[in-house]
Amino acid sequence: MSMPRRDALKIVTAAPFLGLFSGATTAHAKTRAWKSRTEQCWRILESPNLGEVAFPLGGIGTGSVALGGRGQLRDWEICNHPSKNRTLANTCFALWYRQEGGEPRALILESQLNPPFPGWMGLSRDGMPGMPRFDRAKFYGAYPFARLELEDENIPVRANLETFNPFIPGNVKDSSLPVAVFYWQIENTSRKPMDISVQMSQLNICGDDEFGKNQNTYVAKDGLRGLRMTGNRHADDHHKFGTMALVTPHTDVTYLTRWARSGWFDDQSLFWNDFSEDGRLTEGQPSDPTKENQTDTGSLCLSAHLEPGESKTFPFLLAWHFPQRENYWNSEKEIKGKRLKNYYTNHFADAWAVADYTWKNLERLESETKQFHDALFDSTLPPEVLDAVSSQASILKSNTCFITDDGHFWGFEGTTDHGGCCPLNCTHVWNYEQTLAHLFPSLERSVRIIDFNTNTNEEGHMAFRTLIPVGLTRWNWKPAADGQMGTIVKLYREWQLSGDDDYLRSVWPGAKRALEYAWHDWDKDRDGVMEGEQHNTYDIEYFGPNPMMGAIYLAALEAGARMAEAMGDAEAAKNYRSIAANGRANLDSQCWNGEYYNQVFDKAKEVKYQLGDGCLSDQLLGQWMAHVNGLGYVLPQEHVKSSMYAVYKYNFKPVLSDHYNPQRIFALGDEGGLLLCSWPRGNRPPLPFVYSDEVWTGIEYQVAAHLIYEGYIQEGLDIVRAVRDRHDGQRRNPWDEIECGHHYARALASWSVLLALSGFRYSGPQLSIGFLPVIEEKDFQCFWSCDPGWGNYRQKLRNREIESELQMLHGCLKLGEIRIPKPKRLDADDIPDVDVCCGERVYTAEARVDGSQVCVRFNDPILLPAGETLHVEVSA
């Protein structure tokens, strides 16, 4: 069964980024003609199918503003809470031009609005819809960069916008800047010289929705010119207090600190008349504070002269700074309304300081962000995979996530249109996440500290949601079996990716209590099988043995045993392994039905919301976690492979038009998707577990990666392609996968597809890195990342030899060994020849065959700093 392919997903080569700096990374000198690949791949969307496009721009934990598919700015979510579909009056980019000897013309730098046009009094005036616009738009997205191309045969200029926010794996400070960078490039396509102006108008929303004493002030300082926006209705410790800054390094600038404060349509009329006349703004209004409940629009206009065929770039930086967020999402009296400071307040006093830092460091910020972008996309991975892993990384920049000033990361499950949904750090939803853990490991480690040192009580009961500020009260509900056991596996991941034994030691007592809590509640007879009431991510309780809880428990026991050994607790390690061995045999004998694993509960048709004989897509979630983290098989390999193929065979629907679903609808009609469950052998309970007929992207990515781990590569890619085809810009936003809310955290499982295809694995404690690609093995290239840094891996594999390169782009990696694929002609008892060097340095190493890999062990650990490439050749 192969997934039919629509044309929704297009990855194309685009022009180089138009920013100030664009250097490409250089490969090691010894590289032997690696295949030339696209420098930048972009997902392209075209008019009129751009209605759902909203590309988020902002930092981790800062909120964001989105660039819409037509070029409009939408979803203004910079005030510490979601605000989907929020538009701001008068806020837009606009172009003015006049050819030599011709008449001036002004128009909004957007494409035409598309029907339908609702509204009992016509369209809202917020976005100035009645002003001229370009005919069409093309939108290119390759997160964290977006590109907009405006097209109109009747306009003698070419207008392109490129935008980004800094996104540098491992660098939390620079990836958490509350800023969006915009570059407009305007080209004179006529045969006559012309004068050009590009302006941005911005509503001052300091005070969020409670305006008063708002003021815009023009500032020219240290190479920047622009508007400092303030609001003084609230004190600086109020959650609605904030500042904004709209700035540029451009030198030929005119501005308006505020538009007219008169009635009817005067403000837009007077502004447009002024701008349209000569492309310059006449500063005529005093910069004084507004009255109560009122605010102002300010404008910044950049001007230049263009000869025929000449182009120039007009840069804008928009920064914001809303230091205090209020806990609006919890009702507990101890914490409701409490204030929490944002992480970025540790570094910046206001929005102007953010803009100033960004400008002074823009060359580095853009270069390093582009370095990550190019490393990710300059790959032999399939385009749908690159699209999935990059697009969902944007969740980290949405209001799903934030960082407090103590450096701790917090995440809702997702967001509603106006608030965070299902707070906070829900263990069973964030079980699926792999992106944050691999790109910003320090933030992920901060979550485990709270899990084990705050949320786990003396009995080992872990609260599966966190109430903040921490220490005032605790989530008082039953524990989540999948979340609690999954957190043990995630701790093992954090330890492996960092190699930090002291970190593990600091949380190990709580982790040990959390693991052994299973014997008090879920596995009282310690036979390795969960049998009690098991609350889980479906918001229900399973009863009796079932594969989903069982496999996670087995993975947690194996992870626990390995961590116990590292902590010198040999007795605990032995105990965990003994229980795991029994559990492997018992769960397999009880739940294996000859094709896949199901629930064993004789009241599955009497007690509501059970699985019974169903084929659950999540049945081997724990085995997926084990694969991602190098824990091996927790259940018999042949049964795991059979079960995963059954999930694909029965639950993946290339077309959903005949699917019956009385529950929430996330996919339908001619779309493809993976159902949470099916009952291919009948015996469907009258009321099976809730959500069973739905399609969740996070589970789709998890299953896709697991299928790849089991060797079902095309089947896994079918699922990934179906997800991304559904998010085509017209049906759904490619940068917003919805489950229980927007930007749903479970979709961060998408990173595991990259891990499965590349076979990447890193162990900090063992100083070991390894790759085992399952596609394009003969000429493979892929991005990799861990706590010490990130870079590119390349290999050329032949029957008798393999040549590989580990390119270090950021950080510094200490290595004792590297594991790479075994050439076919190498036998298990062969002693391979090995050649290892880095630049002019040659290292001595020994190689041995270890299963499907060759382990190259260095005689002494080596250091690989940023900018260098380790070259390894192994031959029979």
Side-chain angles (χ1 to χ4, degrees):
M1 178 166 58
S2 180
M3 177 63 188
R5 182 67 179 270
R6 294 197 303 269
D7 289 333
L9 179 62
K10 299 179 183 178
I11 300 290
V12 301
T13 303
F17 189 61
L18 296 176
L20 302 179
F21 317 100
S22 61
T25 58
T26 57
H28 181 263
K30 193 173 178 178
T31 302
R32 291 188 320 189
W34 298 104
K35 184 188 297 182
S36 175
R37 301 183 177 98
T38 57
E39 181 182 354
Q40 292 180 327
C41 293
W42 302 78
R43 178 161 183 164
I44 180 170
L45 307 160
E46 302 182 58
S47 296
N49 302 322
L50 297 168
E52 292 301 312
V53 171
F55 187 96
L57 297 163
I60 302 174
T62 71
S64 61
V65 57
L67 178 66
R70 298 185 299 100
Q72 79 278 28
L73 296 176
R74 51 173 291 184
D75 298 354
W76 285 88
E77 303 179 281
I78 64 175
C79 300
N80 297 322
H81 61 82
S83 299
K84 288 298 175 198
N85 301 310
R86 183 184 188 183
T87 57
L88 301 183
N90 310 326
T91 300
C92 63
F93 293 102
L95 170 72
W96 176 92
Y97 68 90
R98 178 168 54 198
Q99 289 179 295
E100 187 178 80
E103 295 296 319
R105 187 179 182 189
L107 63 163
I108 302 294
L109 279 165
E110 299 172 9
S111 65
Q112 297 291 344
L113 282 73
N114 297 313
F117 301 126
W120 68 280
M121 285 286 283
L123 290 173
S124 166
R125 296 174 58 248
D126 282 358
M128 303 177 71
M131 306 305 179
R133 282 167 166 76
F134 283 73
D135 185 42
R136 302 176 307 282
K138 286 185 179 180
F139 193 100
Y140 299 82
Y143 197 82
F145 293 105
R147 174 183 172 90
L148 178 80
E149 296 180 354
L150 296 174
E151 301 175 341
D152 196 315
E153 289 79 6
N154 297 315
I155 299 174
V157 301
R158 181 175 291 114
N160 298 328
L161 169 67
E162 290 190 349
T163 182
F164 83 107
N165 49 259
F167 192 94
I168 306 163
N171 185 336
V172 175
K173 176 187 174 182
D174 288 341
S175 301
S176 303
L177 294 174
V179 69
V181 181
F182 301 96
Y183 296 114
W184 277 103
Q185 188 186 58
I186 308 299
E187 180 183 355
N188 179 1
T189 59
S190 74
R191 298 182 178 180
K192 296 181 179 180
M194 65 171 59
D195 293 323
I196 290 282
S197 291
V198 177
Q199 76 83 42
M200 182 178 181
S201 293
Q202 175 68 54
L203 187 72
N204 178 342
I205 59 169
C206 298
D208 197 2
D209 55 354
E210 296 179 3
F211 301 134
K213 299 182 180 179
N214 286 42
Q215 187 172 11
N216 302 335
T217 306
Y218 181 75
V219 178
K221 182 180 179 181
D222 296 336
L224 288 181
R225 298 153 195 84
L227 301 178
R228 186 199 302 269
M229 298 183 171
T230 58
N232 293 306
R233 176 174 176 175
H234 303 289
D236 59 8
D237 61 349
H238 195 277
H239 67 281
K240 289 184 179 291
F241 174 83
T243 60
M244 301 170 64
L246 173 61
V247 305
T248 183
H250 197 77
T251 54
D252 189 355
V253 170
T254 54
Y255 61 92
L256 286 176
T257 55
R258 65 174 178 85
W259 289 16
R261 295 175 181 167
S262 52
W264 288 99
F265 315 126
D266 298 0
D267 56 350
Q268 288 188 5
S269 297
L270 292 171
F271 163 77
W272 197 254
N273 292 340
D274 182 26
F275 180 63
S276 300
E277 182 179 6
D278 60 3
R280 305 185 78 83
L281 300 177
T282 305
E283 176 62 24
Q285 304 292 347
S287 177
D288 56 336
T290 64
K291 295 180 179 179
E292 193 77 0
N293 299 318
Q294 294 183 4
T295 190
D296 281 328
T297 301
S299 299
L300 194 62
C301 182
L302 285 53
S303 300
H305 178 79
L306 296 182
E307 293 297 321
E310 185 181 7
S311 65
K312 288 188 178 178
T313 300
F314 300 81
F316 295 86
L317 278 69
L318 176 67
W320 57 93
H321 189 279
F322 291 83
Q324 303 276 353
R325 66 176 65 233
E326 181 183 59
N327 186 332
Y328 63 83
W329 53 85
N330 287 123
S331 59
E332 289 82 358
K333 66 180 186 300
E334 297 91 342
I335 59 174
K336 183 175 177 60
K338 293 291 186 182
R339 305 278 168 77
L340 303 146
K341 292 192 75 173
N342 283 319
Y343 171 76
Y344 59 74
T345 62
N346 292 337
H347 308 290
F348 307 106
D350 59 15
W352 189 274
V354 174
D356 182 65
Y357 174 86
T358 302
W359 166 243
K360 289 178 179 176
N361 293 274
L362 188 56
E363 178 177 1
R364 177 183 58 82
L365 294 171
E366 183 175 329
S367 176
E368 292 182 6
T369 302
K370 186 174 183 294
Q371 188 177 51
F372 161 67
H373 171 276
D374 291 354
L376 180 62
F377 283 93
D378 189 12
S379 168
T380 52
L381 295 181
E384 59 266 34
V385 174
L386 296 173
D387 185 48
V389 299
S390 63
S391 65
Q392 297 319 293
S394 69
I395 294 171
L396 303 179
K397 300 297 189 85
S398 74
N399 271 280
T400 294
C401 310
F402 62 95
I403 313 173
T404 45
D405 59 347
D406 58 4
H408 281 286
F409 176 90
W410 310 98
F412 296 93
E413 293 182 26
T415 74
T416 67
D417 283 356
H418 302 291
C421 179
C422 308
L424 257 175
N425 292 2
C426 178
T427 57
H428 52 65
V429 169
W430 283 84
N431 261 353
Y432 296 74
E433 180 276 315
Q434 298 294 338
T435 309
L436 181 72
H438 285 82
L439 294 183
F440 299 95
S442 65
L443 293 179
E444 189 70 49
R445 289 199 300 276
S446 77
V447 182
R448 300 290 86 75
I449 292 172
I450 299 298
D451 286 338
F452 295 115
N453 291 353
T454 298
N455 284 348
T456 301
N457 67 15
E458 289 303 313
E459 294 179 344
H461 174 162
M462 178 186 292
F464 68 83
R465 298 189 189 278
T466 303
L467 303 182
I468 60 173
V470 295
L472 300 181
T473 188
R474 186 173 177 273
W475 177 259
N476 186 23
W477 219 64
K478 66 184 70 175
D482 53 348
Q484 186 155 331
M485 293 299 103
T487 303
I488 305 296
V489 183
K490 291 186 289 185
L491 174 60
Y492 178 78
R493 176 189 64 195
E494 272 63 91
W495 174 52
Q496 290 293 301
L497 288 175
S498 68
D500 189 340
D501 289 347
D502 290 338
Y503 165 76
L504 177 59
R505 191 171 291 108
S506 72
V507 296
W508 175 245
K512 184 177 180 181
R513 294 197 307 272
L515 177 54
E516 295 178 2
Y517 179 82
W519 308 336
H520 300 285
D521 208 14
W522 301 305
D523 183 21
K524 294 180 180 180
D525 58 4
R526 305 192 190 187
D527 68 346
V529 178
M530 285 192 171
E531 296 157 341
E533 177 183 308
Q534 303 151 60
H535 185 71
N536 59 72
T537 196
Y538 304 127
D539 299 326
I540 51 91
E541 290 72 38
Y542 281 146
F543 296 92
N546 66 87
M548 181 178 174
M549 304 302 121
I552 297 178
Y553 180 34
L554 294 177
L557 286 166
E558 176 59 30
R562 298 188 185 193
M563 291 186 289
E565 289 173 340
M567 294 295 98
D569 195 343
E571 182 178 353
K574 181 180 178 181
N575 198 16
Y576 299 158
R577 285 217 167 89
S578 175
I579 294 173
N582 290 333
R584 174 187 173 100
N586 292 334
L587 185 68
D588 189 68
S589 65
Q590 294 176 49
C591 295
W592 174 249
N593 68 9
E595 187 179 14
Y596 56 86
Y597 291 97
N598 56 20
Q599 181 189 23
V600 178
F601 183 52
D602 57 7
K603 296 182 179 180
K605 287 194 174 183
E606 301 171 28
V607 177
K608 290 199 299 184
Y609 312 139
Q610 297 302 295
L611 168 63
D613 293 334
C615 180
L616 180 68
S617 288
D618 257 345
Q619 62 183 271
L620 292 178
L621 174 64
Q623 182 61 75
W624 166 77
M625 297 181 79
H627 281 326
V628 167
N629 295 292
L631 294 172
Y633 279 92
V634 300
L635 286 165
Q637 180 176 353
E638 63 275 15
H639 291 179
V640 170
K641 290 178 68 70
S642 175
S643 296
M644 291 312 300
Y645 189 76
V647 168
Y648 177 79
K649 177 181 178 181
Y650 297 125
N651 295 1
F652 179 64
K653 305 297 180 184
V655 177
L656 288 162
S657 55
D658 292 333
H659 172 56
Y660 160 82
N661 181 10
Q663 301 163 13
R664 300 174 303 177
I665 309 299
F666 301 122
L668 74 166
D670 66 345
E671 299 172 333
L674 181 79
L675 308 181
L676 266 63
C677 194
S678 66
W679 282 263
R681 302 186 175 203
N683 295 321
R684 176 183 169 122
L687 290 174
F689 72 93
V690 292
Y691 315 132
S692 57
D693 295 312
E694 297 180 4
V695 172
W696 294 358
T697 67
I699 291 179
E700 289 179 294
Y701 290 133
Q702 177 265 126
V703 169
H706 196 172
L707 283 165
I708 292 167
Y709 277 121
E710 302 304 337
Y712 300 116
I713 299 166
Q714 290 307 314
E715 290 82 355
L717 295 179
D718 282 349
I719 296 175
V720 176
R721 194 176 303 121
V723 179
R724 298 311 295 157
D725 279 350
R726 297 199 306 265
H727 295 79
D728 63 358
Q730 179 182 23
R731 300 170 184 240
R732 297 171 188 83
N733 181 10
W735 294 277
D736 180 8
E737 291 185 359
I738 293 173
E739 191 189 303
C740 185
H742 299 279
H743 309 289
Y744 200 75
R746 204 186 312 265
L748 292 166
S750 56
W751 197 264
S752 68
V753 182
L754 179 151
L755 301 176
L757 289 170
S758 66
F760 169 75
R761 191 157 294 144
Y762 174 73
S763 173
Q766 297 177 3
L767 301 180
S768 173
I769 195 168
F771 301 87
L772 191 61
V774 295
I775 58 170
E776 304 291 341
E777 300 99 315
K778 292 183 178 180
D779 193 355
F780 178 83
Q781 182 170 328
C782 183
F783 175 83
W784 62 269
S785 60
C786 58
D787 193 49
W790 47 269
N792 255 322
Y793 172 75
R794 305 182 179 106
Q795 73 176 40
K796 288 183 179 292
L797 179 63
R798 304 292 181 260
N799 284 336
R800 296 183 58 82
E801 64 180 4
I802 180 171
E803 179 185 3
S804 66
E805 287 190 352
L806 187 70
Q807 187 180 31
M808 195 76 189
L809 298 176
H810 191 276
C812 183
L813 189 64
K814 186 177 183 179
L815 279 181
E817 68 176 27
I818 182 170
R819 292 174 173 266
I820 55 179
K822 177 184 75 69
K824 290 183 178 179
R825 296 285 181 87
L826 268 179
D827 296 326
D829 55 353
D830 286 343
I831 301 177
D833 291 331
V834 60
D835 177 19
V836 182
C837 67
C838 183
E840 299 300 322
R841 301 188 302 278
V842 177
Y843 299 103
T844 55
E846 296 180 353
R848 61 180 176 83
V849 176
D850 185 7
S852 56
Q853 289 180 304
V854 175
C855 176
V856 178
R857 185 76 184 174
F858 312 122
N859 287 11
D860 296 298
I862 65 172
L863 284 177
L864 188 64
E868 295 199 4
T869 299
L870 183 70
H871 187 92
V872 180
E873 292 185 28
V874 173
S875 58

